[in-house]
Amino acid sequence: MIDLSVNFGGIKAPNPFWLASAPPTNSGYQIMKAFEAGWGGAVWKTLGVPVVNVSSRYGSVNYRNSKMMGFSNIELITDRTLADNLREMEEVKKYFPDHAVIASLMVESRAEWEQIIKDVENAGADGIELNFGCPHGMCERGMGSAVGQEPEVLKTIVGWVKEAANIPVITKLTPNISDIIPPGLAALQGGTDSISLINTIKSIVGIDLDTYAPYPIVDGKGTNGGYCGPAVKPIAMNMLKDLAQHPEIGRIPLSGIGGIETWRDVVEFILLGATSVQVCTAVMHYGFGIVREMEAGLRQFMEERNYNTIYDFAGKALPNVTEWKHLNLEHKVVAEINADKCVGCELCYISCDDGAHQAISLSDDPLNRIPSIIEENCVGCNLCSLVCPVEDCITMVKKDDGTEHSSWNERTLNNDIPTTFNDDRAGGKGHFVPKPSDALKI
Amino acid sequence: MAEYKKPKTEAEFENNFKQKNPLMNDTEAYYEASRCLFCYDAPCIQACPTSIDIPLFIKQIHTDNITGASKTIFESNWLGNACGIVCPTGVLCEGACVYNHQDVPPIKIGRLQNYATNKTIDAGKVIFKVGESNGKKIAIIGAGPAGIACACEARTLGYEVDLFEAKEKPSGLTVYGIAPYKITNEEVLKEVEYLQNQLDFNIKYKATINSKAALKSLEDDYDAIFIGVGLGKTRNLELEGEEKENVIGAVEFVEELRMKHHKLAVPKKVVILGGGNTAMDAASEAARMGAKKTVLAYRNSKEKMGAYRFEYDLAISAGVDSLFNVTPIAITGNGKVEGVKFAKTEMVDGKLKTNMNNTFIVRCDMVIKATGQAKQGHLYGLIDDLEIDTKKRIKTNDEFQTSNPMYFAGGDAINGGAEVVNAAYDGKMAAQGIHNWLNK
Ligand SMILES: Cc1cc2nc3c(=O)[nH]c(=O)nc-3n(C[C@H](O)[C@H](O)[C@H](O)COP(=O)(O)OP(=O)(O)OC[C@H]3O[C@@H](n4cnc5c(N)ncnc54)[C@H](O)[C@@H]3O)c2cc1C
Ligand SMILES: Cc1cc2nc3c(=O)[nH]c(=O)nc-3n(C[C@H](O)[C@H](O)[C@H](O)COP(=O)(O)O)c2cc1C
Ligand code: SF4
Ligand code: SF4
Ligand code: SF4
């Protein structure tokens, strides 16, 4: 029997699908609707110091026919009154005692933190999330990412919160730093029960070519926004991995956020160590109904692999994410074209010839548009297989027999690495490259 | 306009009857699925008689959860694979797709549906569970789409199920009636086999239920009975000369074609009487069987035809000629058909009038009557207290229960002839109706 329920650092929920603190969790109405639709938890839109929002708040990056591949906002924390939010929180908890309702908070002084913690506890919140991530507006006032970027300040505030709180505390980190470990460690040392990441990334999604102002445009001007949506998933996953692999931070629960839209995204985050996931943009795009696809897919995946809970596979990809220096230099793959499937677009040819390693040739027969791989030139970079528009037409075929292993690390230990600029042991030595003047013959 | 040569081999037959909705390949499915907008309260779902969660299964295809997509489909429609291919999607789901408003081709929902279920069926994925046995038994008369759907749903609810089928193969008109360019016999039968393997219902073939005694024994042995007998043979037109050789009903013609393929002899000149979808199918089929001249004759105007426009266009593209506002008054010939004598018709004060002063003969060697199927009146007469409406359809309530509480009914037998998808819906809902009734 599959059991999707989670106990995330003391916060219990019927499943790991949570709404991130954002517009979809702006009101009790939305959160109840989401729980009805199948979400297991919701992080309330950040409560805290009073704010005023601008009109014209979002911008997006559309890629080809995909709308909102990346999404940006310049919205602040909630602009509704604390009293309204608390009243609604209490009501939600009455209807959904077993779902996770987490209060995201952002205030300034210690006294404010203590007061607001008491308030949300009284309203029945199951946990607190500290918003140290907002990268616009709030940081200008010394909060949000301004805290997330200063490990010492972060640690102090987490300490205050932990002292005041009787319910579990999640610290939400900003990706707007160069190394996620210092803020992660600071949160841990401050005593946080768990960590969530990522908040949005500082960005400019586009410039209007009539007004020369960045999107979203507010009366002719704009500001940097917070970037999220499918485009940020790779960045989020890498930071999640960093925390999950850390010997100390990796021991506390991690909630993965950033670009999650389908069951595959959910599984990938769990494989990298997340034990709850939070979603914002996908819900802003498609509504709460997308959880149907996530849950059905997660269940199917678990059923096929005989997993009963998400803990059975949480973190399973971590041992396979290593440092470059440990990768096997003896591994060799070569591209192979399935001539039956090829449609003759020749994108593989041009991408390899202009953008990679000149390992694909065209036929002399103008009627034959199927390119051929020049195996001895192919370095196995994958590029052609990535550009090929036909499913499974170009595959990367393993050529080594799997018996040999040598990594940069091992070779360093064996004194077998190239050391000079013209060292014979350099990887590209002897690799075929056409003569420069050949370029003029085409 | 296509010109078809008489098919002499199975390969030539298959070529003439090329699948209208061929199986999608992976690339096509991936791109097509990526176009779906995942609309809220999607109009395509509303337009599907079985309310399949279309945006969900399409997203599942896109995220490579093919088995999940099939679950989503079968959850709503037990004949999801067949329906993906034979449904008139242009007037159902695809006709409702929001892309139509943008002059962008609608999502190919039917073919995506077929793509997912076909993969799951071929992989033999186990996705259904028989319900815990409740010790009760249901008899189903007729193993057409309605009967099969009822059987599947009843099994998931824990009933023992026996189907009694007059013919030698399951799935009724899906295998005996639908045009061969829409679906192949193999495709139909493999879906039923897939369902039967997992849900374990019994089908007794060549087991026509046509006597009071047979019904009595069902009533004694079972807790409820579902009638899914569809429609009967082609109705007689009471025309002079109708008994002549080579005058054949459309349903009978198609059935022979479905079973004999290229071995069926279709003569040079064929006249098809009727203006419904069955007439269009029969005309297309005669043309694809190599008839030199195929003439569709309908008594009213082109606009008044009951057939879907796309079915008419398909027939025309197969090389069929059409005559409108003509009604047959006699079939001529000496033992064998030699022609049809028609009279012109015209609208007079909103009524169609035959002008016997304006007649002519169309020469032909075969007449296919696509003028409607008779109802299964004989069987209905044998069941106590079974109410039939004026069009000889079995009357049912919202739970698909007939006026004789032990009997439930669905499919063509209650709607007078619709689509496979309607039968699939009725059968499923009838099983739930039975369940509700037995657990009252
Ligand atoms: C020429 C033609 C083309 C069609 N094309 C399409 C199409 O393209 N797409 C589409 O969706 N629909 C199409 N249809 C309609 C579709 O086939 C029917 O709506 C559907 O098959 C109805 O299902 P059913 O189960 O109600 O009846 P049927 O399919 O008629 O099945 C009834 C079953 O009951 C059996 N039976 C009857 N009497 C008895 C008895 N006394 N005892 C035991 N068994 C009995 C029959 O042998 C049969 O197997 C077409 C129909 C025709 C005639
Ligand atoms: C319009 C908008 C408002 C947001 N407001 C908040 C907020 O108040 N507090 C917070 O912690 N995160 C906020 N976020 C960040 C999200 O919670 C989330 O971390 C981020 O969007 C990444 O997830 P996604 O890719 O699923 O959108 C906001 C995001 C958006 C798009
Ligand atoms: S999404 Fe709603 S609130 Fe936003 S601009 Fe449109 S109508 Fe206004
Ligand atoms: S990219 Fe793929 S389809 Fe295009 S020519 Fe190369 S192998 Fe063929
Ligand atoms: S209407 Fe069209 S685009 Fe919208 S969900 Fe249905 S198939 Fe997808």
Side-chain angles (χ1 to χ4, degrees):
Chain A
M1 251 325 265
I2 291 175
D3 175 7
L4 291 184
S5 67
V6 292
N7 181 340
F8 184 83
I11 302 170
K12 293 193 183 122
N15 64 45
F17 310 115
W18 297 0
L19 294 171
S21 173
T25 58
N26 205 36
S27 65
Y29 162 79
Q30 286 163 293
I31 293 178
M32 301 247 286
K33 205 171 156 194
F35 287 170
E36 281 283 293
W39 295 86
V43 186
W44 208 281
K45 171 74 187 172
T46 305
L47 311 174
V49 295
V51 302
V52 178
N53 269 309
V54 291
S55 186
S56 178
R57 304 177 186 179
Y58 310 146
S60 88
V61 174
N62 302 333
Y63 187 69
R64 297 275 189 82
N65 60 350
S66 285
K67 286 259 185 176
M68 272 169 65
M69 182 214 70
F71 186 61
S72 166
N73 83 91
I74 54 170
E75 208 167 84
L76 306 179
I77 65 175
T78 190
D79 53 13
R80 304 179 64 220
T81 68
L82 185 61
D84 284 345
N85 279 304
L86 294 174
R87 187 171 27 79
E88 291 179 9
M89 191 179 287
E90 218 176 311
E91 194 174 335
V92 172
K93 274 315 292 182
K94 224 177 272 155
Y95 282 100
F96 293 94
D98 300 328
H99 284 60
V101 173
I102 296 144
S104 169
L105 305 178
M106 185 199 285
V107 285
E108 261 185 301
S109 69
R110 183 167 191 166
E112 282 172 340
W113 279 107
E114 286 168 356
Q115 182 56 47
I116 202 164
I117 289 166
K118 212 172 275 154
D119 289 342
V120 298
E121 284 186 347
N122 288 336
D126 300 291
I128 292 165
E129 186 178 84
L130 309 180
N131 178 350
F132 295 149
C134 188
H136 46 261
M138 302 315 293
C139 53
E140 296 168 16
R141 288 167 59 179
M143 290 172 279
S145 62
V147 175
Q149 288 162 343
E150 290 299 336
E152 275 312 309
V153 183
L154 189 156
K155 184 165 116 188
T156 308
I157 298 181
V158 174
W160 295 344
V161 170
K162 274 304 288 178
E163 232 172 272
N166 299 304
I167 50 177
V169 174
I170 309 171
T171 303
K172 183 169 178 179
L173 299 182
T174 174
N176 296 301
I177 36 98
S178 52
D179 182 2
I180 196 73
I181 296 299
L185 262 181
L188 186 72
Q189 287 156 1
T192 194
D193 296 290
S194 54
I195 290 176
S196 59
L197 82 174
I198 60 174
N199 207 309
T200 54
I201 302 172
K202 264 187 194 249
S203 61
I204 285 178
V205 287
I207 299 288
D208 182 82
L209 296 191
D210 294 322
T211 60
Y212 299 167
Y215 298 118
I217 305 170
V218 182
D219 195 19
K221 298 257 183 294
T223 183
N224 73 270
Y227 200 45
C228 52
V232 309
K233 179 183 145 196
I235 297 164
M237 293 211 296
N238 183 55
M239 292 190 162
L240 171 64
K241 175 269 300 179
D242 283 346
L243 295 188
Q245 287 186 334
H246 190 275
E248 290 157 67
I249 307 169
R251 286 202 214 111
I252 61 170
L254 301 170
S255 185
I257 318 170
I260 296 172
E261 177 180 315
T262 71
W263 74 272
R264 300 185 78 94
D265 303 327
V266 172
V267 168
E268 289 174 51
F269 272 78
I270 296 175
L271 287 169
L272 285 171
T275 50
S276 88
V277 293
Q278 298 184 27
V279 180
C280 164
T281 304
V283 167
M284 292 184 72
H285 195 161
Y286 299 111
F288 299 125
I290 49 153
V291 76
R292 322 201 280 289
E293 190 276 341
M294 291 183 187
E295 175 167 351
L298 177 63
R299 283 184 182 277
Q300 186 67 31
F301 170 83
M302 290 171 66
E303 197 178 304
E304 278 170 14
R305 289 163 213 240
N306 278 322
Y307 294 135
N308 295 322
T309 75
I310 64 159
Y311 300 99
D312 293 345
F313 64 100
K316 282 230 177 201
L318 291 172
N320 297 328
V321 189
T322 178
E323 284 174 279
W324 192 93
K325 66 180 181 209
H326 298 305
L327 300 178
N328 185 6
L329 299 170
E330 306 299 328
H331 181 62
K332 168 106 183 120
V333 289
V334 164
E336 203 172 278
I337 296 175
N338 181 335
D340 292 338
K341 292 194 170 178
C342 171
V343 294
C345 68
E346 295 182 355
L347 284 173
C348 56
Y349 164 77
I350 204 63
S351 68
C352 185
D353 213 64
D354 289 3
H357 300 93
Q358 301 81 43
I360 300 183
S361 63
L362 298 178
S363 159
D364 292 334
D365 172 4
L367 293 178
N368 175 10
R369 290 189 54 100
I370 305 174
S372 335
I373 305 288
I374 308 163
E375 197 176 318
E376 50 294 5
N377 292 358
C378 175
V379 301
C381 72
N382 298 345
L383 180 64
C384 56
S385 73
L386 301 176
V387 299
C388 178
V390 183
E391 292 297 286
D392 300 324
C393 172
I394 300 187
T395 44
M396 302 304 299
V397 181
K398 187 168 180 254
K399 291 290 169 178
D400 67 294
D401 62 8
T403 54
E404 278 175 63
H405 191 282
S406 85
S407 62
W408 182 261
N409 200 44
E410 288 159 356
R411 281 175 62 171
T412 308
L413 296 174
N414 291 337
N415 274 327
D416 186 25
I417 51 170
T419 48
T420 63
F421 285 133
N422 298 311
D423 202 311
D424 275 349
R425 290 169 295 189
K429 172 93 183 179
H431 182 82
F432 168 82
V433 198
K435 289 202 294 289
S437 59
D438 285 355
L440 306 177
K441 293 185 194 152
I442 294 171
Chain B
M1 195 180 285
E3 269 283 320
Y4 290 97
K5 280 218 192 78
K6 196 180 263 314
K8 296 207 183 62
T9 61
E10 183 60 21
E12 285 175 9
F13 176 85
E14 275 172 23
N15 199 41
N16 286 7
F17 287 82
K18 230 184 227 121
Q19 293 299 298
K20 233 182 84 210
N21 293 319
L23 191 61
M24 270 187 177
N25 62 41
D26 295 345
T27 304
E28 199 179 1
Y30 184 76
Y31 286 160
E32 191 62 12
S34 76
R35 288 208 303 131
C36 174
L37 302 170
F38 201 77
C39 298
Y40 175 67
D41 195 11
C44 52
I45 305 183
Q46 293 171 9
C48 169
T50 60
S51 304
I52 295 177
D53 191 339
I54 292 161
L56 175 59
F57 91 69
I58 294 180
K59 197 160 184 100
Q60 288 173 314
I61 290 175
H62 197 241
T63 61
D64 203 22
N65 180 8
I66 304 293
T67 311
S70 298
K71 277 187 183 168
T72 303
I73 294 161
F74 284 120
E75 224 158 67
S76 294
N77 181 342
W78 287 109
L79 294 159
N81 191 53
C83 282
I85 316 172
V86 305
C87 270
T89 51
V91 295
L92 299 175
C93 52
E94 292 173 21
C97 177
V98 295
Y99 275 119
N100 291 299
H101 301 301
Q102 255 185 313
D103 290 332
V104 171
I107 303 288
K108 294 183 182 114
I109 300 170
R111 292 182 62 206
L112 281 170
Q113 183 173 318
N114 171 232
Y115 168 82
T117 49
N118 191 74
K119 271 201 168 190
T120 304
I121 291 171
D122 282 352
K125 290 260 181 195
V126 178
I127 61 175
F128 312 121
K129 256 210 217 94
V130 175
E132 202 181 314
S133 170
N134 59 24
K136 297 198 175 120
K137 290 167 70 179
I138 297 176
I140 294 176
I141 311 176
I148 300 280
C150 182
C152 293
E153 188 75 6
R155 288 296 289 145
T156 63
L157 295 167
Y159 294 88
E160 286 294 312
V161 176
D162 293 321
L163 294 106
F164 299 86
E165 168 53 54
K167 301 221 155 102
E168 294 170 20
K169 289 194 176 83
S171 50
L173 285 175
T174 320
V175 79
Y176 290 107
I178 293 175
Y181 46 80
K182 290 199 188 140
I183 193 165
T184 64
N185 294 2
E186 298 78 58
E187 186 94 17
V188 178
L189 297 175
K190 89 177 175 192
E191 181 171 31
V192 177
E193 188 186 326
Y194 173 74
L195 295 168
Q196 206 175 358
N197 280 344
Q198 288 179 48
L199 292 166
D200 200 26
F201 45 83
N202 312 304
I203 310 182
K204 299 187 204 298
Y205 295 106
K206 294 188 168 177
T208 312
I209 304 291
N210 56 3
S211 68
K212 228 163 152 114
L215 286 165
K216 175 82 173 64
S217 89
L218 294 187
E219 288 169 12
D220 290 345
D221 295 348
Y222 294 88
D223 297 280
I225 300 167
F226 175 77
I227 312 171
V229 292
L231 302 175
K233 295 206 160 60
T234 303
R235 205 184 304 128
N236 269 343
L237 289 177
E238 317 299 342
L239 265 189
E240 184 190 327
E242 195 174 351
E243 71 298 335
K244 289 188 201 310
E245 197 179 320
N246 270 6
V247 179
I248 183 171
V251 196
E252 292 74 15
F253 169 74
V254 181
E255 178 169 343
E256 254 198 274
L257 174 73
R258 290 289 305 241
M259 295 305 123
K260 293 187 180 158
H261 284 189
H262 65 278
K263 293 187 191 119
L264 177 72
V266 174
K268 284 200 182 124
K269 291 182 77 179
V270 183
V271 168
I272 295 95
L273 305 175
N277 289 320
T278 301
M280 303 306 133
D281 276 11
S284 278
E285 287 158 2
R288 284 165 206 258
M289 285 303 286
K292 284 275 159 307
K293 191 151 185 66
T294 319
V295 181
L296 190 66
Y298 180 51
R299 66 192 159 86
N300 209 325
S301 65
K302 188 167 165 181
E303 293 67 40
K304 283 271 156 52
M305 278 196 308
Y308 296 127
R309 186 60 201 230
F310 70 87
E311 296 285 20
Y312 173 69
D313 291 345
L314 195 69
I316 297 303
S317 73
V320 172
D321 295 331
S322 40
L323 286 174
F324 294 103
N325 283 104
V326 297
T327 191
I329 48 177
I331 291 172
T332 62
N334 192 0
K336 236 179 174 174
V337 177
E338 284 167 17
V340 181
K341 186 172 182 185
F342 287 103
K344 291 292 273 180
T345 65
E346 56 205 295
M347 272 295 183
V348 182
D349 300 332
K351 281 206 168 136
L352 197 65
K353 288 257 160 68
T354 304
N355 182 353
M356 293 302 267
N357 295 327
N358 191 349
T359 65
F360 61 99
I361 289 179
V362 175
R363 303 197 63 82
C364 65
D365 331 288
M366 182 181 233
V367 175
I368 300 177
K369 298 180 291 177
T371 42
Q373 289 168 264
K375 311 291 186 309
Q376 306 274 32
H378 169 69
L379 176 70
Y380 305 162
L382 300 174
I383 300 169
D384 295 335
D385 304 325
L386 190 74
E387 269 182 44
I388 308 293
D389 70 9
T390 52
K391 290 184 171 162
K392 295 213 181 113
R393 299 174 297 200
I394 303 176
K395 282 204 207 169
T396 55
N397 64 17
D398 291 350
E399 299 269 284
F400 293 86
Q401 189 170 31
T402 70
S403 50
N404 177 334
M406 193 177 182
Y407 287 85
F408 289 70
D412 283 1
I414 69 166
N415 61 34
E419 316 289 342
V420 172
V421 66
N422 305 98
Y425 175 76
D426 292 359
K428 178 186 174 81
M429 299 317 285
Q432 293 181 8
I434 292 172
H435 188 61
N436 293 341
W437 179 63
L438 289 175
N439 287 299
K440 240 202 208 128

